[in-house]
Amino acid sequence: MAGSHHDKHFFPELKTSVSGLTLCALDAEQADEYYALIDRNREHLTQNGDYQALAASDYKTAHAELLDDPSPSLRCGVLLHRTLIGRVDLVAVNPPKYGFGYWLDHEATGHGYATAACHTLIKYGATMLGATDVFAGVTHGNGKSGAVLTRLGFKVAEVFETYTRYHLALVASPCTYPA
């Protein structure tokens, strides 16, 4: 596993617009803190019928997930003053098209942290990965999650039986086009 330690350094700690709120690579080193976060949020995670598998995970499952190298996807911990309060992922479904997912500790919702964390990761994805499109699914009934996406500029792309798919088209910076 020669590359496993320096892989983490390729994803820098990212500052958000909220003081003390940062994103970092979420890996096995944070397994204890990550599992504790899942454990105290089991009810919160499943209130709208989503995140069932995550909420059901035991320590071994949560730890094993963090051992897997997510690349080319990005799996980030959301930290508030160095404490893990959530997770945000940019999933390389079909680059430059990416999937997107996020969740926060129930006590951390309602402060703009999700919006700030998501904005930062999407901007990073557009700049560093050349992402052109980001898609996210929101289970019906999860209005707060939909509101985060709407604030970020996502539009409803399709409505399915159990969830709504949102889409954000990212505009490349003008300097990338030939004159």
Side-chain angles (χ1 to χ4, degrees):
M1 306 257 218
S4 62
H5 275 306
H6 86 251
D7 286 351
K8 187 177 175 175
H9 299 297
F10 116 89
F11 184 79
E13 186 165 317
L14 300 176
K15 287 180 166 45
T16 69
S17 58
V18 175
S19 175
L21 190 74
T22 56
L23 300 180
C24 69
L26 184 61
D27 60 28
E29 288 173 36
Q30 294 110 328
D32 292 358
E33 203 179 359
Y34 180 60
Y35 180 71
L37 182 67
I38 293 170
D39 200 40
R40 69 175 178 266
N41 280 286
R42 290 184 198 278
E43 200 175 305
H44 172 62
L45 286 166
T46 57
Q47 66 187 347
N48 299 300
D50 41 8
Y51 288 114
Q52 301 286 354
L54 178 65
S57 54
D58 56 15
Y59 179 80
K60 195 175 159 205
T61 311
H63 184 250
E65 183 192 0
L66 297 186
L67 284 172
D68 278 342
D69 178 1
S71 70
S73 299
L74 299 176
R75 179 180 60 219
C76 302
V78 180
L79 304 174
L80 183 62
H81 306 298
R82 301 243 156 288
T83 300
L84 187 65
I85 61 160
R87 173 175 170 174
V88 58
D89 293 65
L90 200 53
V91 183
V93 179
N94 186 8
K97 293 176 169 61
Y98 285 80
F100 193 65
Y102 53 93
W103 65 272
L104 289 183
D105 185 319
H106 66 282
E107 289 181 8
T109 60
H111 302 285
Y113 300 150
T115 303
C118 292
H119 175 77
T120 299
L121 189 60
I122 290 169
K123 196 169 150 194
Y124 180 86
T127 310
M128 303 306 288
L129 305 176
T132 59
D133 295 87
V134 181
F135 293 89
V138 177
T139 306
H140 297 321
N142 189 350
K144 286 182 176 178
S145 208
V148 167
L149 294 174
T150 302
R151 279 194 291 277
L152 292 166
F154 280 77
K155 304 280 184 245
V156 171
E158 217 169 334
V159 179
F160 297 96
E161 194 178 327
T162 57
Y163 72 98
T164 300
R165 178 180 292 145
Y166 287 79
H167 171 244
L168 178 64
L170 299 170
V171 181
S173 60
C175 63
T176 60
Y177 298 111

